[in-house]
Amino acid sequence: QVQLIESGGGLVQAGGSLRLSCAASGRSFSRYAMGWFRQAPGKERDIVATISGIGGSTYYRDSVKGRFTISRDNAKNTLYLQMNSLKPEDTAVYFCAASPVWLTVRPHEYDVWGQGTQVTVSS
């Protein structure tokens, strides 16, 4: 089974950029759809973006379209989230997750989760 470790979070000013990475262990990385989720204090965990197993299809929530880019390198077993033009409302803990369901946005269909990485955007 895949295990996931996120990195790349931090504190950035509004308008800045961050790149999150999610390193996966195990041999089956390309079999999984991968997703980035985020959870702000007192709020539910929401989908940010998803990508299919071979990377040919992606989904973004409306509020990040045109600013965030999800990608994966199956040779390196790594998932990425490039975040540009960051806004204070993007502040949250960001999680990567793996799912056997193609491009799903439902958290309960993801069965492997990372520990999360904090992203804080100051105004």
Side-chain angles (χ1 to χ4, degrees):
Q1 190 176 10
V2 172
Q3 294 182 326
L4 306 172
I5 300 176
E6 303 97 334
S7 62
L11 173 64
V12 64
Q13 289 187 332
S17 298
L18 283 174
R19 188 193 198 199
L20 304 184
S21 297
C22 173
S25 63
R27 301 179 180 179
S28 305
F29 182 66
S30 63
R31 296 183 181 180
Y32 289 87
M34 297 298 296
W36 286 102
F37 291 78
R38 66 188 182 188
Q39 187 167 20
K43 296 190 176 181
E44 294 184 349
R45 189 170 298 188
D46 292 328
I47 187 70
V48 175
T50 67
I51 188 167
S52 59
I54 59 173
S57 298
T58 57
Y59 164 88
Y60 297 92
R61 68 181 299 113
D62 285 346
S63 61
V64 307
K65 286 180 180 178
R67 299 189 298 124
F68 291 11
T69 302
I70 188 171
S71 62
R72 65 192 297 163
D73 185 337
N74 287 344
K76 296 182 178 180
N77 278 11
T78 305
L79 174 74
Y80 303 100
L81 185 68
Q82 178 66 43
M83 305 186 293
N84 298 329
S85 302
L86 282 161
K87 304 176 181 180
E89 51 264 42
D90 294 317
T91 295
V93 178
Y94 284 70
F95 299 87
C96 64
S99 172
V101 181
W102 186 82
L103 220 60
T104 181
V105 300
R106 301 180 179 89
H108 69 270
E109 292 183 334
Y110 285 79
D111 51 16
V112 182
W113 291 83
Q115 83 287 352
T117 185
Q118 176 70 47
V119 172
T120 303
V121 185
S122 63
S123 58

